[in-house]
């Protein structure tokens, strides 16, 4: 498990239906994470959001577990993705953003 100081949490991401399929989510996530010093990104996807889940899996996010939340039909899937300064997760899956790695933050 990653040190909590090396993890950034993507709390919420939504793209209006009429704007989907244009790469906006990918660009938003790329911009959000491009200058982050953390080595891991974590997010939650509601179980019923199958398209969003599939998108993050294509981007290289791995299943970390399921959180059962009151009022959330089916729960919340927790996904995570370690990345390196080359923009790749540890096993070589490409990410849609370049990872930031700077010596002053201790990320290599």
């Amino acid at each position: 498990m990653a040190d909590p100081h090396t993890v950034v949490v993507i709390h919420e991401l939504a793209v209006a239906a009429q704007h989907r399929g244009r790469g906006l989510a990918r660009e938003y996530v790329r911009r959000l994470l491009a200058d982050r010093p953390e080595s891991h990104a974590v997010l939650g996807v509601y179980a019923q959001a199958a398209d969003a889940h599939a998108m993050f899996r294509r981007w290289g996010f791995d299943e970390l577990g399921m959180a059962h939340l009151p009022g959330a039909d089916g729960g919340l899937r927790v996904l995570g993705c370690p990345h390196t300064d080359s923009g790749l997760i540890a096993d070589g899956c490409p990410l849609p953003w370049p990872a930031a790695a700077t010596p002053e933050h201790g990320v290599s």
Side-chain angles (χ1 to χ4, degrees):
M1 185 48 125
D3 177 333
H5 296 98
T6 65
V7 178
V8 61
V9 177
I10 300 172
H11 179 68
E12 190 167 348
L13 173 67
V15 175
Q18 69 268 26
H19 298 293
R20 293 182 187 153
R22 299 180 187 177
L24 293 174
R26 180 178 291 249
E27 181 62 14
Y28 294 153
V29 171
R30 187 193 67 76
R31 287 183 184 192
L32 173 72
L33 298 179
D35 294 324
R36 300 296 309 194
E38 296 87 353
S39 60
H40 293 72
V42 176
L43 56 88
V45 177
Y46 288 107
Q48 66 268 27
D51 290 344
H53 178 261
M55 175 184 72
F56 287 113
R57 294 288 289 150
R58 280 193 310 273
W59 291 359
F61 281 82
D62 293 320
E63 293 276 345
L64 299 179
M66 176 72 85
H68 299 283
L69 306 173
D73 188 28
L76 184 74
R77 294 173 183 236
V78 180
L79 304 174
C81 190
H83 56 89
T84 68
D85 60 355
S86 66
L88 305 176
I89 66 171
D91 67 2
C93 285
L95 293 177
W97 61 84
T102 56
E104 67 269 18
H105 294 296
V107 178
S108 60

